[in-house]
Amino acid sequence: MYPPPAPAPHRDFISVTLSLGESYDNSKSRRRRSCWRKWKQLSRLQQNMIIFLLAFLILCGFLSYIHMADQWKALSGKPTEERKMMPEVPGLKPANPPVLPAPQKADASPAFSKMLPQRPRKHFRRGPPHLQIRAPNTDSKAGTQGDTKERAAAPGDAHQEENTQRTVISWRGAVIEPEQGTGLPLRRAEAPAKPSPLVTRMQKEPALLNERQEGVIEAFRHAWKGYRQFAWGHDELRPVSKSFSEWFGLGLTLIDALDTMWILGLKQEFEEARMWVSQKLNFKKDVDVNLFESTIRILGGLLSTYHLSGDRLFLRKAKDFGNRLMPAFMTPSKIPYSDVNIGTGVAHPPQWTSDSTVSEVTSIQLEFRELSRLTGVKKFQEAAEEVTRHVHHLSGKKDGLVPMFINTHSGAFTHLGVFTLGARADSYYEYLLKQWIQGGKQETQLLEDYLAAIEGIKTHLVRHSEPNKLTFIGELTHDRFSAKMDHLVCFLPGTLALGVHHGLPTDHMELARALMETCYQMNRQMETGLSPEIVHFNLYPPTDNLDVKVKPADRHNLLRPETVESLFYLYRTTGDRKYQDWGWEILQSFNKYTRVPSGGYTSINNVQNPHKPEPRDKMESFFLGETLKYLYLLFSDDQNLLSLDTYVFNTEAHPLPIWALS
């Protein structure tokens, strides 16, 4: 006997009528079919194809949603996640906001304290009073296309930049596409650095340039015309022969002039130069570079341009170059060699000595400290500051004055008893003050060394000429005074004025004013109105009523910036317009005696012969990087354009931000 069969399981279905576009007339002629039954009738292959198609459509829709969301965020100005997740050093805050466009500065820490997480910060739009450069929160098709073209043209940079968000920067009504980060710098060595947004004042209307500033812009364009046509991508222009010369083979003039172009608002020139940096600047070259010169010009120029433009391309290049300079510090004393091969990593002293120049090893600290602060890689700052600490404790000084040479093996001063503020020692004193300012005026050891040196200068090197009692700085050789003064020494009036601006003794300003008059007279008493490289002052009344005399070997002019540099500082700190007038005279002399019609400016051999100044056929990179930049800033009526409370200039006139402690 079999049990009765179990009742069939009851199944519920939701039936959907497929009318294929026809209306349902309630008739029985068309059978109803449920979606489920129709699906079960399909083969496994057909089912898989339908599932794949649906998944593909869902994925496309999801990607489209993300793309539209990013565009909406850009339009609405909302910060991205990149801008939020960045750590900071507690107790620190950014320096006074800069007035130039979109510099993105890391939080500052002279001591590099332990790193702690940072609260998210908002991304601020910013714009300068003069340059009218700002970073709006909108992207454009043109910008995207330009970005695509550049990446295609520069495959070496494409991989590094593929995850970098691009923003459009308005530049006097035009747009460029810098590779700009959107967050604060990470404080870990392995993490990519990202500039922090700085709050700057917005100005709706572009400021008008005065006639003298326009004159500087015209001079720059003329100099750049020659470089672009005859020396593009090479180190220096030879304007007379319409050719070029190489020193390091790294486009020295182009890099040195980057931030000057930005400050002067020369958009087209800057864009072309940036493209060259992106596509052609390669540091993997078997070439020796001078540690000091390449640091102040190349590393300093890249860091400054990064801060002013916010373009991370320049920071990446700076970090690469800084790493390639580090073998120079691998000496028994940690006093760096003067030269290093950036391709092989082999460093060495000059062929004729095992010594390094004191000014060279003590005038790289601003740049290496800033590179560490931006990247979070401490080795740059530690190596540079170890040199400063070492020199601080050395014997052989004379009331704060230092000799000119230092041995890389023993770490001791050599050529003792010779003291000068000219070549081989000058920027040591400059960087004592500027490091103290850069670090937020916290490093008292630097200030003490600087103040001691100024007192030593007053005691041993200051004299007065005849017949006009000009105050000048001489040299001391084994207690014998020489009335020789390099044009390089004309940095000192500006440095003294900068110190007074930051609260140092007011009697420093008296010396600054007196020395500024002397440096002006070194130009004015020459027939061309341009200073020679070296002068000797008369300590006894001369027959020609002139305070200075020039030896034939010293009467050349290299287009140096030191006089106009100090004029800039004196005008900023005193407001006395005579310093602007003096600078204008010097610019007119440059135009009259050094300008080459086909493009560029040339150094000259004889500043005492206006009829035959004898062109030397060389335009140093610092003419664009320093001389014209300082003249432009000197003529500006805006005290906040690169404010002395916000920026400190390295010895090649590249502005770097001042760190500030709360």
Side-chain angles (χ1 to χ4, degrees):
M1 200 75 191
Y2 293 101
H10 177 72
R11 295 184 181 180
D12 291 329
F13 297 97
I14 298 176
S15 179
V16 178
T17 301
L18 301 177
S19 63
L20 299 178
E22 300 176 4
S23 62
Y24 176 61
D25 59 2
N26 203 30
S27 69
K28 303 292 185 180
S29 60
R30 186 176 298 275
R31 296 187 59 181
R32 299 185 186 185
R33 299 178 184 177
S34 70
C35 290
W36 177 251
R37 288 175 178 172
K38 188 65 177 179
W39 174 258
K40 295 296 289 182
Q41 291 177 359
L42 298 177
S43 67
R44 184 173 298 276
L45 176 61
Q46 291 173 320
Q47 292 176 354
N48 290 338
M49 290 180 65
I50 293 175
I51 292 173
F52 175 79
L53 180 60
L54 290 174
F56 178 76
L57 293 175
I58 291 172
L59 178 61
C60 290
F62 179 71
L63 294 177
S64 298
Y65 170 78
I66 292 177
H67 178 70
M68 294 301 294
D70 288 342
Q71 288 186 343
W72 178 252
K73 285 182 180 179
L75 290 170
S76 60
K78 295 180 180 178
T80 63
E81 290 302 313
E82 279 187 358
R83 296 173 185 152
K84 296 182 179 180
M85 304 303 296
M86 299 294 167
E88 72 177 1
V89 180
L92 298 180
K93 64 181 181 181
N96 296 331
V99 297
L100 281 180
Q104 304 203 12
K105 180 176 74 66
D107 47 15
S109 172
F112 279 92
S113 306
K114 293 182 179 180
M115 313 309 171
L116 294 178
Q118 180 183 11
R119 294 187 301 273
R121 296 185 184 181
K122 294 184 178 180
H123 177 67
F124 294 94
R125 295 179 63 191
R126 60 194 76 81
H130 265 294
L131 301 187
Q132 200 60 22
I133 309 171
R134 57 188 177 184
N137 299 312
T138 57
D139 294 325
S140 68
K141 288 184 178 181
T144 305
Q145 292 171 355
D147 179 45
T148 303
K149 290 179 181 178
E150 180 177 325
R151 292 168 188 259
D157 289 334
H159 178 70
Q160 295 176 340
E161 302 173 20
E162 61 185 355
N163 294 323
T164 304
Q165 181 177 349
R166 304 287 296 228
T167 58
V168 179
I169 294 184
S170 172
W171 195 333
R172 290 183 177 176
V175 294
I176 62 172
E177 283 278 60
E179 298 166 52
Q180 179 174 333
T182 55
L184 298 175
L186 294 176
R187 306 300 297 178
R188 298 189 182 94
E190 67 274 13
K194 296 185 179 181
S196 63
L198 293 178
V199 184
T200 60
R201 296 173 301 163
M202 296 293 294
Q203 179 167 332
K204 296 181 180 179
E205 298 297 330
L208 295 177
L209 300 177
N210 59 50
E211 180 182 356
R212 291 178 175 180
Q213 285 180 297
E214 293 284 4
V216 176
I217 292 175
E218 193 281 329
F220 185 97
R221 281 185 166 141
H222 183 77
W224 190 253
K225 170 189 172 184
Y227 177 78
R228 185 178 183 275
Q229 185 172 357
F230 306 119
W232 182 253
H234 298 284
D235 283 342
E236 294 169 335
L237 169 67
R238 299 181 62 189
V240 178
S241 60
K242 301 179 182 179
S243 59
F244 59 85
S245 60
E246 295 287 22
W247 189 2
F248 307 141
L250 297 173
L252 199 58
T253 293
L254 187 148
I255 298 175
D256 222 358
L258 281 168
D259 58 0
T260 305
M261 288 184 279
W262 184 275
I263 294 167
L264 271 58
L266 301 178
K267 168 192 171 293
Q268 180 178 348
E269 291 84 350
F270 181 86
E271 284 186 292
E272 291 179 344
R274 183 203 177 278
M275 187 68 71
W276 183 88
V277 172
S278 176
Q279 298 180 4
K280 302 295 184 181
L281 182 59
N282 177 21
F283 295 128
K284 192 175 182 181
K285 301 180 68 172
D286 184 7
V287 60
D288 283 359
V289 302
N290 178 270
L291 174 65
F292 165 71
E293 295 289 354
S294 62
T295 295
I296 65 172
R297 302 192 198 206
I298 297 176
L299 183 58
L302 292 171
L303 290 173
S304 173
T305 306
Y306 164 70
H307 276 293
L308 300 182
S309 68
D311 191 335
R312 296 185 65 248
L313 165 69
F314 301 109
L315 180 58
R316 284 197 303 275
K317 294 291 185 180
K319 183 179 180 182
D320 180 19
F321 191 63
N323 279 318
R324 295 177 183 276
L325 295 178
M326 289 304 293
F329 294 90
M330 298 176 64
T331 68
S333 65
K334 304 304 180 183
I335 298 298
Y337 289 125
S338 63
D339 298 280
V340 58
N341 189 301
I342 58 175
T344 65
V346 176
H348 58 86
Q351 295 181 352
W352 53 277
T353 181
S354 60
D355 294 344
S356 288
T357 299
V358 170
S359 64
E360 293 185 346
V361 302
T362 58
S363 304
I364 55 179
Q365 281 69 21
L366 289 180
E367 299 82 0
F368 276 88
R369 281 156 51 114
E370 181 62 14
L371 183 59
S372 277
R373 192 178 69 91
L374 289 175
T375 63
V377 180
K378 297 182 180 180
K379 65 179 180 180
F380 305 117
Q381 180 175 10
E382 291 172 346
E385 289 187 342
E386 186 170 356
V387 177
T388 304
R389 290 190 295 269
H390 180 89
V391 172
H392 171 75
H393 294 290
L394 276 184
S395 60
K397 300 178 185 176
K398 187 178 183 70
D399 295 332
L401 305 178
V402 295
M404 295 187 295
F405 296 99
I406 187 169
N407 189 272
T408 55
H409 295 287
S410 67
F413 287 130
T414 62
H415 299 75
L416 299 178
V418 180
F419 304 100
T420 176
L421 262 70
R424 300 189 175 96
D426 51 350
S427 50
Y428 161 75
Y429 306 98
E430 175 188 358
Y431 267 40
L432 287 175
L433 175 67
K434 290 184 174 180
Q435 285 182 82
W436 176 70
I437 295 172
Q438 180 192 45
K441 306 177 186 178
Q442 302 297 310
E443 299 154 290
T444 56
Q445 176 181 299
L446 295 167
L447 178 60
E448 292 169 359
D449 286 350
Y450 173 75
L451 292 175
I454 299 304
E455 292 306 309
I457 291 169
K458 291 180 180 179
T459 302
H460 301 291
L461 303 183
V462 173
R463 295 289 190 279
H464 303 282
S465 69
E466 295 292 341
N468 295 310
K469 306 296 183 182
L470 296 179
T471 301
F472 70 94
I473 305 293
E475 298 181 352
L476 201 64
T477 305
H478 304 295
D479 294 325
R480 290 189 59 185
F481 181 80
S482 169
K484 169 179 173 289
M485 178 172 165
D486 293 2
H487 180 266
L488 288 169
V489 182
C490 286
F491 83 91
L492 186 58
T495 298
L496 290 168
L498 177 64
V500 174
H501 177 81
H502 284 280
L504 299 190
T506 55
D507 66 310
H508 288 193
M509 183 60 78
E510 298 175 13
L511 180 58
R513 286 178 177 270
L515 289 173
M516 190 73 262
E517 172 72 27
T518 301
C519 290
Y520 169 61
Q521 291 297 329
M522 287 169 61
N523 288 267
R524 191 169 185 269
Q525 293 189 18
M526 299 298 110
E527 287 78 356
T528 61
L530 296 174
S531 173
E533 183 73 358
I534 300 171
V535 300
H536 290 76
F537 285 88
N538 294 313
L539 296 177
Y540 304 98
T543 58
D544 56 6
N545 202 39
L546 295 178
D547 292 76
V548 300
K549 54 186 177 183
V550 184
K551 296 181 179 180
D554 301 330
R555 59 190 183 186
H556 52 283
N557 181 285
L558 303 181
L559 311 174
R560 285 197 185 277
E562 283 74 22
T563 296
V564 296
E565 171 186 358
S566 286
L567 288 173
F568 159 68
Y569 284 111
L570 265 293
Y571 174 66
R572 279 288 177 94
T573 53
T574 68
D576 192 337
R577 291 191 177 273
K578 75 177 181 182
Y579 299 121
Q580 290 182 317
D581 296 336
W582 292 356
W584 184 244
E585 290 179 22
I586 293 173
L587 178 59
Q588 289 176 314
S589 294
F590 279 134
N591 281 329
K592 186 173 183 179
Y593 297 107
T594 71
R595 184 180 175 113
V596 178
S598 59
Y601 289 73
T602 179
S603 51
I604 57 176
N605 275 325
N606 193 345
V607 297
Q608 295 179 309
N609 189 342
H611 304 292
K612 194 178 180 181
E614 301 176 18
R616 292 167 67 97
D617 194 19
K618 186 175 184 179
M619 185 177 78
E620 299 273 0
S621 75
F622 53 64
F623 182 66
L624 299 182
E626 296 187 77
T627 307
L628 293 181
K629 182 189 299 170
Y630 278 130
L631 283 169
Y632 181 86
L633 296 174
L634 167 65
F635 298 146
S636 173
D637 298 319
D638 184 2
Q639 292 281 323
N640 290 317
L641 179 60
L642 286 170
S643 167
L644 299 182
D645 294 317
T646 303
Y647 288 99
V648 60
F649 291 82
N650 83 337
T651 196
E652 191 73 8
H654 297 304
L656 300 173
I658 295 174
W659 311 345
L661 296 176
S662 58

